[in-house]
Amino acid sequence: MERGERYRNPTEVQMSQMVLPCHTNHRGELSIGQLLKWIDTTACLSAERHAGCPCVTASVDDIYFEHTISVGQVVNIKAKVNRAFNSSMEVGIQVSYEDLCSGKQWNVCKAYATFVAQGKATGKMKLKPLAPQTEEEKMEHSIAAERRRMRLAHTDTLKDLLTNSTLQTERENGDCNTVVPAEKTRVESVELVLPPHANHQGNTFGGQIMAWMENVATIAASRLCHAHPTLKTIEMFHFRGPSQVGDRLLLKAIVNNAFKNSMEVGVCVEAYRQEMEVSRRHINSAFMTFVVLDQEGQPSTIPMVKPEAGDGERRYREASARKKIRLDRKYIISCEQTKVPLSVPWDQSNKVYLSYNNVSALKTLVAKTNWVLATEIDKVRMYTLEEDKYLSFRIEMSLCIDATQAFFLLSDLRQRHEWDRHYASAELVQQVDEDDMIYHVLSQTVSQENKPQDFVILASRRRPCDEGDPYVVAFRSVTLPTRPPNPEYTRGETMCSGFCIWQETAELTKVSYYNQAAPGYLAYVTTNIAGLSSDFYVTFKACERFLQKNKDEITVGLQNL
Ligand code: COA
Ligand code: ADP
């Protein structure tokens, strides 16, 4: 890079579009369908820049639209590849709009889409890895692995939650006494895929399909409210199979459920080749939430729907469950880690998102670049990071141990009292899944109320997703009804802490402990930095002895798995 030149991500692609009347709906606002086409094109070009070959849209994560855009304004879309996996890539997209008269800019939405490279006709494509440069790129690269995990589990997670949730199916009548049979909102529409709807290989653009889906969903929503609805969210969905030029796409939509101020419309897309063809391929299904805004931009009350018997009633119940899950997910995922209260209750319906939040918070801390070496004793180093409201610390050393051994030993909190004198004991309360556990920890540390502390901690561990990734063990506090606060203890909370473990050479492993310090830890950090205590050194040396002592045992345990 030339001196003074601004760094630019090599996969970054930008698109700017002036919103013209032909892009808008009757309210003079940019149609979301058009926006989805622009988003998909920009993201696809970014993916293709990295892959060097044609790519197709595999999935799109939840999108929340924060603003509507009016005719005459300019839409700016920026897309870049966050991470390449094997044949797929996560592309991060940011959409804003600007008012040319005032010069002001607003965020419209942030989206993540996965594209799959269509390299050779046979064999699986292996994309070249991406080398993130900036702090933000490193963070997105690291967290992309966690988002992928959540994405690939999405269908099962949803299925699981829908079967297990107990739902309130009746909406309170409140100030609405209109009930519309869902059947009246049903829409069926066909589209013929022509060359302008597809790439040069003849594959239909995902954005074009999304635009067609938004069109039928808007019609269904309008039939319920007899007004112009505004699309607020599109739930994560994936394209199950490709479609080509010449396909007929059958789009079906219906309002599944209406809540007080919003409604869920479901859309299903099927493809067939010839008019006489009986069998149809299921291309994708998506769920969209609409609101109806009044003159002041406030959401109005939506009429109730009466679902049809059978599938309609099932979809009605599932829409309620999806609403809860979507709100949980939005709350836990889209909030910055520090804005999610420490005491988030853990339950089956948010377990995937809390685990995501746990790991991504630690990865965000790890990706920070402004750590400062505060003190070092015998190659055990303590770093600090000062941010607005938080003081974080990191303790690091290199050991002669295999990274996998350290990973398994450090992720089991039941053994931690052997090396960490702050721990008295830890009980495994819930094995959430293979890599997520909830522990009840009793601490030796005495609180300001002169009582010992206890913690309920979610421990989430992750093996490397790729070469160069660390092993990660993340901890955060949660609350569990089965472990309420006990008057004999002060309930302590940890916001974000954990281990990152890198295999440096065949023999050497770097172990780093991170802690975004809650106020209770402040004295620990400052006395260590000031040289008034060497507690961090003593604890880490004890940790080293513990790892050395138990490493063979864990290896035998792993071999027997
Ligand atoms: N979300 C994100 N990525 C997904 C996914 C989902 N729901 N399902 C599969 N993938 C990824 C896999 O993780 C894998 O990535 P990797 O190679 O980096 O590990 C990649 O897709 C291929 O997965 P695989 O299991 O081999 O293939 P598949 O048979 O499930 O096919 C698609 C996945 C996306 C290629 C296939 O469903 C498809 O062709 N969909 C249509 C794509 C398209 O044409 N879109 C435009 C509009 S129709
Ligand atoms: P599910 O029935 O589990 O919701 P589908 O993929 O079959 O999943 O359909 C997705 C959504 O598409 C449905 O929730 C519904 O809103 C809509 N849909 C499906 N079939 C029809 C149909 N025949 N007519 C109108 N809308 C439909």
Side-chain angles (χ1 to χ4, degrees), residues 186-187 252-254 256 266-268 282 285 287 314-315 318:
R186 186 189 295 279
V187 183
K252 295 182 281 185
I254 196 164
N256 285 335
V267 192
C268 165
H282 185 187
S285 291
F287 300 97
R314 171 182 58 81
R315 287 171 183 153
E318 291 178 353

Side-chain angles (χ1 to χ4, degrees), residues 506-527:
E507 288 86 34
L508 267 191
T509 289
K510 185 168 81 179
V511 176
S512 296
Y513 173 73
Y514 290 82
N515 196 318
Q516 188 160 38
Y521 276 91
L522 206 61
Y524 174 82
V525 183
T526 46
T527 49

Side-chain angles (χ1 to χ4, degrees), residues 19 24 94 163 192 323 380 383 424 428 462 464 480 499 502 517:
V19 179
T24 62
Q94 261 176 328
T163 26
L192 173 62
K323 184 177 182 207
V380 180
Y383 296 82
L428 178 63
R462 301 286 184 266
L480 264 190
F499 294 96
W502 286 266

Side-chain angles (χ1 to χ4, degrees), residues 180-239:
V180 179
E183 182 56 29
K184 289 206 165 172
T185 70
R186 186 189 295 279
V187 183
E188 187 178 302
S189 181
V190 73
E191 299 284 351
L192 173 62
V193 181
L194 298 171
H197 303 136
N199 65 14
H200 57 275
Q201 291 195 322
N203 290 319
T204 318
F205 290 124
Q208 178 61 67
I209 298 182
M210 289 190 256
W212 284 329
M213 294 170 84
E214 190 263 348
N215 174 51
V216 289
T218 306
I219 298 172
S222 311
R223 285 184 178 162
L224 179 70
C225 61
H226 298 295
H228 299 306
T230 301
L231 179 58
K232 289 302 283 180
T233 68
I234 304 179
E235 189 153 309
M236 179 187 289
F237 69 91
H238 87 280
F239 288 100

Side-chain angles (χ1 to χ4, degrees), residues 284-305:
N284 72 340
S285 291
F287 300 97
M288 304 186 186
T289 303
F290 289 84
V291 293
V292 178
L293 301 174
D294 63 17
Q295 303 280 24
E296 278 79 48
Q298 295 306 311
S300 354
T301 307
I302 311 264
M304 300 205 288
V305 277

